[in-house]
Amino acid sequence: QLHVVESGGGLVQPGGSLRLSCAVSEFILNYDAIGWFRQAPGKGREGISCFSSSSGSGTYAESVKGRFTISRDYDKNTVYLQMYNLKPEDTAIYYCAAMELCGYGVDYWGKGTLVNVSS
């Protein structure tokens, strides 16, 4: 059973916007934190944002701060990552993950969705 499923990736031009979705199962509602990670070609996986249900707010890596916004829709069991002013260096596979708390180890990973920023 897939507990975390990403969608919304695609090809976008530099300066464009894209919204990723992370649908989580009822089981994952037990987890406080849902985070977004990414892995660019030839690089390691990077944590870029995390939403904490207990605080109702998100945290961001410096590389995306001011350009990306994380949010959670509890009615739809979905976490969104709204991305603005995309740059070629944002090209990566984006993964959603569930954790007990932001900054803790990941318990459940999604399979990822590809974002390609190119003209």
PDB file of all heavy atoms in Angstrom, residues 80-102:
ATOM      1  N   TYR A  80       0.820  20.336  -0.132  1.00  0.00           N
ATOM      2  CA  TYR A  80       1.218  20.976  -1.381  1.00  0.00           C
ATOM      3  C   TYR A  80       2.561  21.671  -1.238  1.00  0.00           C
ATOM      4  O   TYR A  80       2.914  22.161  -0.159  1.00  0.00           O
ATOM      5  CB  TYR A  80       0.175  22.015  -1.807  1.00  0.00           C
ATOM      6  CG  TYR A  80      -1.197  21.461  -2.013  1.00  0.00           C
ATOM      7  CD1 TYR A  80      -2.193  21.606  -1.039  1.00  0.00           C
ATOM      8  CD2 TYR A  80      -1.522  20.776  -3.185  1.00  0.00           C
ATOM      9  CE1 TYR A  80      -3.463  21.095  -1.224  1.00  0.00           C
ATOM     10  CE2 TYR A  80      -2.784  20.260  -3.383  1.00  0.00           C
ATOM     11  CZ  TYR A  80      -3.750  20.420  -2.394  1.00  0.00           C
ATOM     12  OH  TYR A  80      -5.003  19.902  -2.593  1.00  0.00           O
ATOM     13  N   LEU A  81       3.283  21.721  -2.345  1.00  0.00           N
ATOM     14  CA  LEU A  81       4.489  22.528  -2.424  1.00  0.00           C
ATOM     15  C   LEU A  81       4.322  23.444  -3.624  1.00  0.00           C
ATOM     16  O   LEU A  81       4.418  23.002  -4.770  1.00  0.00           O
ATOM     17  CB  LEU A  81       5.751  21.670  -2.578  1.00  0.00           C
ATOM     18  CG  LEU A  81       7.061  22.455  -2.526  1.00  0.00           C
ATOM     19  CD1 LEU A  81       7.285  23.007  -1.112  1.00  0.00           C
ATOM     20  CD2 LEU A  81       8.238  21.578  -2.938  1.00  0.00           C
ATOM     21  N   GLN A  82       4.020  24.705  -3.355  1.00  0.00           N
ATOM     22  CA  GLN A  82       3.878  25.691  -4.414  1.00  0.00           C
ATOM     23  C   GLN A  82       5.251  26.282  -4.699  1.00  0.00           C
ATOM     24  O   GLN A  82       5.902  26.807  -3.789  1.00  0.00           O
ATOM     25  CB  GLN A  82       2.912  26.797  -4.003  1.00  0.00           C
ATOM     26  CG  GLN A  82       2.731  27.888  -5.035  1.00  0.00           C
ATOM     27  CD  GLN A  82       2.028  27.413  -6.281  1.00  0.00           C
ATOM     28  OE1 GLN A  82       0.930  26.884  -6.237  1.00  0.00           O
ATOM     29  NE2 GLN A  82       2.672  27.607  -7.437  1.00  0.00           N
ATOM     30  N   MET A  83       5.666  26.218  -5.956  1.00  0.00           N
ATOM     31  CA  MET A  83       7.011  26.670  -6.333  1.00  0.00           C
ATOM     32  C   MET A  83       6.896  27.823  -7.317  1.00  0.00           C
ATOM     33  O   MET A  83       6.211  27.703  -8.339  1.00  0.00           O
ATOM     34  CB  MET A  83       7.786  25.505  -6.961  1.00  0.00           C
ATOM     35  CG  MET A  83       7.836  24.273  -6.062  1.00  0.00           C
ATOM     36  SD  MET A  83       8.845  22.935  -6.737  1.00  0.00           S
ATOM     37  CE  MET A  83       7.878  22.458  -8.162  1.00  0.00           C
ATOM     38  N   TYR A  84       7.545  28.916  -6.992  1.00  0.00           N
ATOM     39  CA  TYR A  84       7.559  30.101  -7.841  1.00  0.00           C
ATOM     40  C   TYR A  84       8.990  30.386  -8.302  1.00  0.00           C
ATOM     41  O   TYR A  84       9.962  29.940  -7.687  1.00  0.00           O
ATOM     42  CB  TYR A  84       7.044  31.325  -7.084  1.00  0.00           C
ATOM     43  CG  TYR A  84       5.639  31.229  -6.586  1.00  0.00           C
ATOM     44  CD1 TYR A  84       5.369  30.901  -5.258  1.00  0.00           C
ATOM     45  CD2 TYR A  84       4.557  31.475  -7.431  1.00  0.00           C
ATOM     46  CE1 TYR A  84       4.070  30.827  -4.785  1.00  0.00           C
ATOM     47  CE2 TYR A  84       3.253  31.396  -6.967  1.00  0.00           C
ATOM     48  CZ  TYR A  84       3.020  31.074  -5.652  1.00  0.00           C
ATOM     49  OH  TYR A  84       1.725  31.000  -5.185  1.00  0.00           O
ATOM     50  N   ASN A  85       9.095  31.194  -9.368  1.00  0.00           N
ATOM     51  CA  ASN A  85      10.403  31.651  -9.868  1.00  0.00           C
ATOM     52  C   ASN A  85      11.394  30.491  -9.964  1.00  0.00           C
ATOM     53  O   ASN A  85      12.505  30.555  -9.438  1.00  0.00           O
ATOM     54  CB  ASN A  85      10.954  32.743  -8.945  1.00  0.00           C
ATOM     55  CG  ASN A  85      12.178  33.424  -9.526  1.00  0.00           C
ATOM     56  OD1 ASN A  85      12.388  33.417 -10.734  1.00  0.00           O
ATOM     57  ND2 ASN A  85      12.989  33.988  -8.648  1.00  0.00           N
ATOM     58  N   LEU A  86      10.968  29.449 -10.633  1.00  0.00           N
ATOM     59  CA  LEU A  86      11.806  28.257 -10.737  1.00  0.00           C
ATOM     60  C   LEU A  86      13.063  28.520 -11.553  1.00  0.00           C
ATOM     61  O   LEU A  86      13.049  29.302 -12.526  1.00  0.00           O
ATOM     62  CB  LEU A  86      10.996  27.110 -11.345  1.00  0.00           C
ATOM     63  CG  LEU A  86      10.013  26.470 -10.355  1.00  0.00           C
ATOM     64  CD1 LEU A  86       8.938  25.682 -11.079  1.00  0.00           C
ATOM     65  CD2 LEU A  86      10.765  25.592  -9.366  1.00  0.00           C
ATOM     66  N   LYS A  87      14.140  27.859 -11.142  1.00  0.00           N
ATOM     67  CA  LYS A  87      15.441  28.022 -11.777  1.00  0.00           C
ATOM     68  C   LYS A  87      15.907  26.671 -12.317  1.00  0.00           C
ATOM     69  O   LYS A  87      15.481  25.622 -11.813  1.00  0.00           O
ATOM     70  CB  LYS A  87      16.446  28.534 -10.750  1.00  0.00           C
ATOM     71  CG  LYS A  87      16.020  29.813 -10.044  1.00  0.00           C
ATOM     72  CD  LYS A  87      17.007  30.174  -8.942  1.00  0.00           C
ATOM     73  CE  LYS A  87      16.555  31.432  -8.206  1.00  0.00           C
ATOM     74  NZ  LYS A  87      17.506  31.800  -7.129  1.00  0.00           N
ATOM     75  N   PRO A  88      16.802  26.682 -13.293  1.00  0.00           N
ATOM     76  CA  PRO A  88      17.310  25.401 -13.806  1.00  0.00           C
ATOM     77  C   PRO A  88      17.887  24.510 -12.697  1.00  0.00           C
ATOM     78  O   PRO A  88      17.756  23.281 -12.770  1.00  0.00           O
ATOM     79  CB  PRO A  88      18.388  25.836 -14.800  1.00  0.00           C
ATOM     80  CG  PRO A  88      17.917  27.158 -15.289  1.00  0.00           C
ATOM     81  CD  PRO A  88      17.295  27.817 -14.087  1.00  0.00           C
ATOM     82  N   GLU A  89      18.470  25.112 -11.678  1.00  0.00           N
ATOM     83  CA  GLU A  89      19.045  24.313 -10.589  1.00  0.00           C
ATOM     84  C   GLU A  89      17.979  23.678  -9.688  1.00  0.00           C
ATOM     85  O   GLU A  89      18.303  22.897  -8.796  1.00  0.00           O
ATOM     86  CB  GLU A  89      20.006  25.147  -9.738  1.00  0.00           C
ATOM     87  CG  GLU A  89      19.440  26.463  -9.238  1.00  0.00           C
ATOM     88  CD  GLU A  89      19.821  27.627 -10.135  1.00  0.00           C
ATOM     89  OE1 GLU A  89      19.793  27.472 -11.386  1.00  0.00           O
ATOM     90  OE2 GLU A  89      20.137  28.711  -9.584  1.00  0.00           O
ATOM     91  N   ASP A  90      16.717  24.011  -9.906  1.00  0.00           N
ATOM     92  CA  ASP A  90      15.631  23.335  -9.189  1.00  0.00           C
ATOM     93  C   ASP A  90      15.257  22.013  -9.844  1.00  0.00           C
ATOM     94  O   ASP A  90      14.438  21.258  -9.300  1.00  0.00           O
ATOM     95  CB  ASP A  90      14.387  24.228  -9.132  1.00  0.00           C
ATOM     96  CG  ASP A  90      14.586  25.470  -8.279  1.00  0.00           C
ATOM     97  OD1 ASP A  90      15.193  25.354  -7.201  1.00  0.00           O
ATOM     98  OD2 ASP A  90      14.133  26.554  -8.707  1.00  0.00           O
ATOM     99  N   THR A  91      15.835  21.731 -10.999  1.00  0.00           N
ATOM    100  CA  THR A  91      15.561  20.468 -11.681  1.00  0.00           C
ATOM    101  C   THR A  91      15.985  19.293 -10.815  1.00  0.00           C
ATOM    102  O   THR A  91      17.137  19.224 -10.377  1.00  0.00           O
ATOM    103  CB  THR A  91      16.301  20.425 -13.029  1.00  0.00           C
ATOM    104  OG1 THR A  91      15.755  21.427 -13.896  1.00  0.00           O
ATOM    105  CG2 THR A  91      16.159  19.055 -13.680  1.00  0.00           C
ATOM    106  N   ALA A  92      15.037  18.396 -10.551  1.00  0.00           N
ATOM    107  CA  ALA A  92      15.307  17.275  -9.652  1.00  0.00           C
ATOM    108  C   ALA A  92      14.086  16.373  -9.606  1.00  0.00           C
ATOM    109  O   ALA A  92      13.001  16.745 -10.083  1.00  0.00           O
ATOM    110  CB  ALA A  92      15.619  17.784  -8.245  1.00  0.00           C
ATOM    111  N   ILE A  93      14.271  15.224  -9.000  1.00  0.00           N
ATOM    112  CA  ILE A  93      13.127  14.398  -8.603  1.00  0.00           C
ATOM    113  C   ILE A  93      12.727  14.858  -7.208  1.00  0.00           C
ATOM    114  O   ILE A  93      13.576  14.930  -6.317  1.00  0.00           O
ATOM    115  CB  ILE A  93      13.466  12.902  -8.605  1.00  0.00           C
ATOM    116  CG1 ILE A  93      13.855  12.461 -10.020  1.00  0.00           C
ATOM    117  CG2 ILE A  93      12.263  12.095  -8.122  1.00  0.00           C
ATOM    118  CD1 ILE A  93      14.332  11.020 -10.094  1.00  0.00           C
ATOM    119  N   TYR A  94      11.453  15.183  -7.051  1.00  0.00           N
ATOM    120  CA  TYR A  94      10.939  15.672  -5.779  1.00  0.00           C
ATOM    121  C   TYR A  94      10.181  14.551  -5.067  1.00  0.00           C
ATOM    122  O   TYR A  94       9.308  13.909  -5.648  1.00  0.00           O
ATOM    123  CB  TYR A  94      10.031  16.874  -6.001  1.00  0.00           C
ATOM    124  CG  TYR A  94      10.807  18.136  -6.306  1.00  0.00           C
ATOM    125  CD1 TYR A  94      11.491  18.278  -7.519  1.00  0.00           C
ATOM    126  CD2 TYR A  94      10.883  19.171  -5.389  1.00  0.00           C
ATOM    127  CE1 TYR A  94      12.224  19.421  -7.790  1.00  0.00           C
ATOM    128  CE2 TYR A  94      11.612  20.321  -5.654  1.00  0.00           C
ATOM    129  CZ  TYR A  94      12.279  20.434  -6.857  1.00  0.00           C
ATOM    130  OH  TYR A  94      13.006  21.571  -7.121  1.00  0.00           O
ATOM    131  N   TYR A  95      10.560  14.353  -3.806  1.00  0.00           N
ATOM    132  CA  TYR A  95       9.967  13.291  -3.003  1.00  0.00           C
ATOM    133  C   TYR A  95       9.217  13.881  -1.818  1.00  0.00           C
ATOM    134  O   TYR A  95       9.679  14.836  -1.188  1.00  0.00           O
ATOM    135  CB  TYR A  95      11.053  12.361  -2.460  1.00  0.00           C
ATOM    136  CG  TYR A  95      11.856  11.649  -3.506  1.00  0.00           C
ATOM    137  CD1 TYR A  95      13.034  12.196  -4.007  1.00  0.00           C
ATOM    138  CD2 TYR A  95      11.464  10.393  -3.986  1.00  0.00           C
ATOM    139  CE1 TYR A  95      13.787  11.538  -4.958  1.00  0.00           C
ATOM    140  CE2 TYR A  95      12.212   9.729  -4.934  1.00  0.00           C
ATOM    141  CZ  TYR A  95      13.369  10.307  -5.415  1.00  0.00           C
ATOM    142  OH  TYR A  95      14.113   9.656  -6.361  1.00  0.00           O
ATOM    143  N   CYS A  96       8.112  13.254  -1.488  1.00  0.00           N
ATOM    144  CA  CYS A  96       7.366  13.592  -0.291  1.00  0.00           C
ATOM    145  C   CYS A  96       7.633  12.488   0.737  1.00  0.00           C
ATOM    146  O   CYS A  96       7.845  11.327   0.372  1.00  0.00           O
ATOM    147  CB  CYS A  96       5.876  13.661  -0.633  1.00  0.00           C
ATOM    148  SG  CYS A  96       4.837  14.232   0.703  1.00  0.00           S
ATOM    149  N   ALA A  97       7.617  12.856   2.024  1.00  0.00           N
ATOM    150  CA  ALA A  97       7.939  11.876   3.049  1.00  0.00           C
ATOM    151  C   ALA A  97       7.232  12.204   4.353  1.00  0.00           C
ATOM    152  O   ALA A  97       6.954  13.375   4.637  1.00  0.00           O
ATOM    153  CB  ALA A  97       9.450  11.840   3.277  1.00  0.00           C
ATOM    154  N   ALA A  98       6.973  11.168   5.130  1.00  0.00           N
ATOM    155  CA  ALA A  98       6.337  11.328   6.437  1.00  0.00           C
ATOM    156  C   ALA A  98       7.351  11.052   7.537  1.00  0.00           C
ATOM    157  O   ALA A  98       8.129  10.086   7.456  1.00  0.00           O
ATOM    158  CB  ALA A  98       5.150  10.377   6.572  1.00  0.00           C
ATOM    159  N   MET A  99       7.331  11.912   8.568  1.00  0.00           N
ATOM    160  CA  MET A  99       8.251  11.803   9.694  1.00  0.00           C
ATOM    161  C   MET A  99       7.495  12.062  10.982  1.00  0.00           C
ATOM    162  O   MET A  99       6.477  12.741  10.981  1.00  0.00           O
ATOM    163  CB  MET A  99       9.361  12.852   9.555  1.00  0.00           C
ATOM    164  CG  MET A  99      10.187  12.710   8.305  1.00  0.00           C
ATOM    165  SD  MET A  99      10.975  14.273   7.841  1.00  0.00           S
ATOM    166  CE  MET A  99       9.595  15.098   7.054  1.00  0.00           C
ATOM    167  N   GLU A 100       8.032  11.565  12.083  1.00  0.00           N
ATOM    168  CA  GLU A 100       7.400  11.863  13.372  1.00  0.00           C
ATOM    169  C   GLU A 100       7.410  13.365  13.626  1.00  0.00           C
ATOM    170  O   GLU A 100       6.415  13.940  14.066  1.00  0.00           O
ATOM    171  CB  GLU A 100       8.134  11.128  14.486  1.00  0.00           C
ATOM    172  CG  GLU A 100       7.856   9.640  14.520  1.00  0.00           C
ATOM    173  CD  GLU A 100       8.404   8.990  15.774  1.00  0.00           C
ATOM    174  OE1 GLU A 100       8.490   9.692  16.810  1.00  0.00           O
ATOM    175  OE2 GLU A 100       8.747   7.808  15.740  1.00  0.00           O
ATOM    176  N   LEU A 101       8.549  13.978  13.387  1.00  0.00           N
ATOM    177  CA  LEU A 101       8.701  15.424  13.546  1.00  0.00           C
ATOM    178  C   LEU A 101       9.627  15.933  12.458  1.00  0.00           C
ATOM    179  O   LEU A 101      10.466  15.169  11.951  1.00  0.00           O
ATOM    180  CB  LEU A 101       9.293  15.775  14.917  1.00  0.00           C
ATOM    181  CG  LEU A 101       8.472  15.432  16.164  1.00  0.00           C
ATOM    182  CD1 LEU A 101       9.312  15.648  17.418  1.00  0.00           C
ATOM    183  CD2 LEU A 101       7.207  16.283  16.210  1.00  0.00           C
ATOM    184  N   CYS A 102       9.500  17.200  12.092  1.00  0.00           N
ATOM    185  CA  CYS A 102      10.430  17.782  11.130  1.00  0.00           C
ATOM    186  C   CYS A 102      11.856  17.643  11.667  1.00  0.00           C
ATOM    187  O   CYS A 102      12.117  17.946  12.841  1.00  0.00           O
ATOM    188  CB  CYS A 102      10.102  19.251  10.900  1.00  0.00           C
ATOM    189  SG  CYS A 102       8.577  19.537   9.962  1.00  0.00           S
TER     190      CYS A 102
END
